[in-house]
Amino acid sequence: MRLTPNELPAALERGLAPLYLLSGAEPLLLDEAVDRVRAAARAGGFSERSLHLADARYNWGELYADACSQSLFASRRLVEVRMPGGKPGAAGAKVLKELSGSVPEDNLIMVVAGALDRNARRSAWVGALEKAGTWVDAPLLSAREQRGWISDRLAGEGFQPDEAAVTLLAERTEGNLLSARQQIDKLALAHDPGPLSVDAVMEAIADASRFDVFQLGSAALGQDLRRTARILAGLRRERAPLTLILWVLVRDITTLADLYWRTARGDSLPSAMGALRVWSSRKAEFRSALKRHGARSIRRLLVRSARADQVIKGARPGEPWTELQLLAFGLAEPHRMGAEQ
C-alpha cells in the first residue's frame, strides 16, 4: 500500500504494517514520517530498536540475520534500515525482497531511503516492500502544496490565519519546509491560538533584525529619504530576508493604489481608509503620499514591484538591493523611481 505523509497518521491509528518503506526528497516530511512510525511502534510494544546503516560497504547478510531473529531482551523489536544512497544494490535488493515475505511476527522493519529515482521506484524490491507493507513517499512540495501545508500546520497549532499571513509565510519560506516549520514553531511560542494576522507573522520573521523592517514603508511614505536609506543599509548589514522587505514595501504600495482608485471613483478618503483598515498612526503617511502620487506613478511602482520580485527570485538579471532601494525611493518621491525596463 502506498500512502502520502498526510495519510500516514490515520493509517497508523488503524494498526501497524509489518514493513515500512519511507522515501522522499523532502527531508522534513520524511523525518516526520520516520518519527511517527517509531512512536507508533513504541506504543505497539516494539520497545527495542536496532539500527542498520546500509552504505556502500554494508553487509546485507547482517540485516537478514537480525530481521529474522528474535530479541533477547524484548518481545517486540523495530529493525530500522537507513539507505543514504537510496539504492541497495543487487545484494540488498535480494535481501529486501526475501524479507518482504518472511518477517517474524515480533519484528517490524522500517527501510528509510532518500529520493528514489524512476528506476528505483519501478524496481522489484520496492514493489515487494509495498505489496507486503506500506510505502510512504514524501516528494518535494510545489509552491501551492507548500502553501496548503503551511495553512494546515497553522490550523493544527490552533491558529486561524488570514490569507495574507499564509501568503507571507509561504513566500518567505518557499522551497524550505524546515524553515516554514521553524517559523510556525516560533509563532506558536509567541502567540496564543486564535486569529493570526500578517503583522504577527512579519513580526515573528523579522524580530532578529536590529533595524525594524516595518519602519521602512513608513519612512518612504513619509518622504524621509535619509531615514529610508539608513534603514535599508541596516537591513542589508543584518542580512534581513529580501522577500520580507519587498513584502513590506508592496503592502504599502498596494494600499496606496487602493486608496487612490477608491477616491478616484468618488469614495471619501476617510471611508477608503476605513475599508482598507489603515491604522490611525499611518493615516497621515498615506494622506501625504497621495498628494505626491497619481495614476501614472502608482502604475510605475507596481511595475517596479514586479521587477524587484523577479530579480530577488533570480528570474531576471539585476542586483536585489538596488531594486529595493529604487522601489523605496520611488515610493518616497516619484521622480526617483528610474526606468522600468
Side-chain angles (χ1 to χ4, degrees), residues 176-191:
N176 190 339
L177 214 58
L178 177 59
S179 176
R181 188 185 71 173
Q182 291 170 339
Q183 297 295 351
I184 292 171
D185 290 345
K186 187 190 300 185
L187 286 165
L189 290 172
H191 297 274

Side-chain angles (χ1 to χ4, degrees), residues 161-177:
D162 58 35
E163 285 190 22
V166 175
T167 298
L168 173 58
L169 198 50
E171 291 186 354
R172 170 67 181 85
T173 62
E174 185 174 349
N176 190 339
L177 214 58

Side-chain angles (χ1 to χ4, degrees), residues 207-281:
D207 63 5
S209 296
R210 187 170 58 187
F211 283 79
D212 191 350
V213 67
F214 308 117
Q215 296 177 0
L216 178 61
S218 293
L221 284 169
Q223 208 174 4
D224 190 338
L225 286 177
R226 185 174 180 179
R227 185 162 174 259
T228 299
R230 182 176 60 82
I231 292 173
L232 277 170
L235 290 170
R236 186 169 188 173
R237 285 195 302 272
E238 296 292 331
R239 298 183 180 180
L242 295 168
T243 51
L244 178 62
I245 299 170
L246 179 61
W247 174 276
V248 169
L249 291 172
V250 170
R251 182 187 64 165
D252 286 348
I253 290 168
T254 54
T255 298
L256 180 67
D258 283 345
L259 288 172
Y260 177 84
W261 298 119
R262 284 172 183 264
T263 54
R265 75 185 182 194
D267 293 357
S268 68
L269 184 54
S271 173
M273 286 186 173
L276 295 174
R277 298 182 180 179
V278 177
W279 294 350
S280 297
S281 60

Side-chain angles (χ1 to χ4, degrees), residues 111-186:
V111 180
V112 183
L116 299 178
D117 60 25
R118 181 178 299 180
N119 290 334
R121 297 172 75 85
R122 296 177 178 176
S123 65
W125 68 270
V126 168
L129 293 178
E130 180 182 6
K131 184 177 180 181
T134 297
W135 177 16
V136 181
D137 192 41
L140 292 174
L141 300 185
S142 66
R144 181 178 180 181
E145 290 170 333
Q146 182 167 331
R147 179 188 170 90
W149 182 91
I150 288 171
S151 182
D152 291 342
R153 185 60 64 98
L154 286 169
E157 293 289 346
F159 289 120
Q160 298 150 21
D162 58 35
E163 285 190 22
V166 175
T167 298
L168 173 58
L169 198 50
E171 291 186 354
R172 170 67 181 85
T173 62
E174 185 174 349
N176 190 339
L177 214 58
L178 177 59
S179 176
R181 188 185 71 173
Q182 291 170 339
Q183 297 295 351
I184 292 171
D185 290 345
K186 187 190 300 185

